[in-house]
Amino acid sequence: MTSITGTITINVHGSDNDQYVCQLSSSVDQSTDEIRCCGQTKEHAIAIALEQLASKYRQIAEESQNQDWLAVERSESGEVIQKHYHVILHYERIGIAESKFEAMQDTLLGNTVVENAKVTLIEIDANLSVSPLTE
């Protein structure tokens, strides 16, 4: 198994408009450009930058598998071989509401979260211990 070592550097500083700017760079993958994000708090800015980094790596992981989306593998007897996938659903929006509860309810109504989300499907080994955020 290959070992990968690198550093993710996070630099956060306040800006003139009462926001925080987070600059994130990674030495793990030199092709990853520096990420620069603004947030309401330093934690918010860091969360946005880390999500952008995670999104880049999810895309790399999915694309590296180079799979035919419609391909179905069959055993020698002709039975369909069921595969396991780590399904990652990412959805963001700006909600305008009277309360945090209302913003959550407005988001959950209908299926807009699923319909408008970015979905990443990464084929995984059946024995891989992946802990989904929800089950």
Side-chain angles (χ1 to χ4, degrees), residues 27 50 88 110 120 122:
S27 70
L50 289 173
I88 304 165
T120 305
I122 301 170

Side-chain angles (χ1 to χ4, degrees), residues 1-71:
M1 182 170 279
T2 304
S3 175
I4 300 171
T5 303
T7 303
I8 296 174
T9 303
I10 299 173
N11 182 16
V12 181
H13 60 277
S15 66
D16 294 339
N17 57 359
D18 294 328
Q19 293 182 350
Y20 289 85
V21 177
C22 178
Q23 292 175 282
L24 186 145
S25 58
S26 172
S27 70
V28 177
D29 182 2
Q30 298 300 330
S31 67
T32 303
D33 296 330
E34 181 177 89
I35 296 170
R36 185 176 164 93
C37 300
C38 292
Q40 193 70 32
T41 64
K42 62 183 179 227
E43 294 83 5
H44 184 224
I46 292 169
I48 293 169
L50 289 173
E51 178 51 44
Q52 286 189 16
L53 182 66
S55 177
K56 286 182 180 184
Y57 279 103
R58 284 193 299 268
Q59 182 180 357
I60 291 167
E62 185 178 34
E63 288 174 356
S64 70
Q65 291 183 332
N66 196 25
Q67 293 177 328
D68 177 352
W69 280 62
L70 300 176

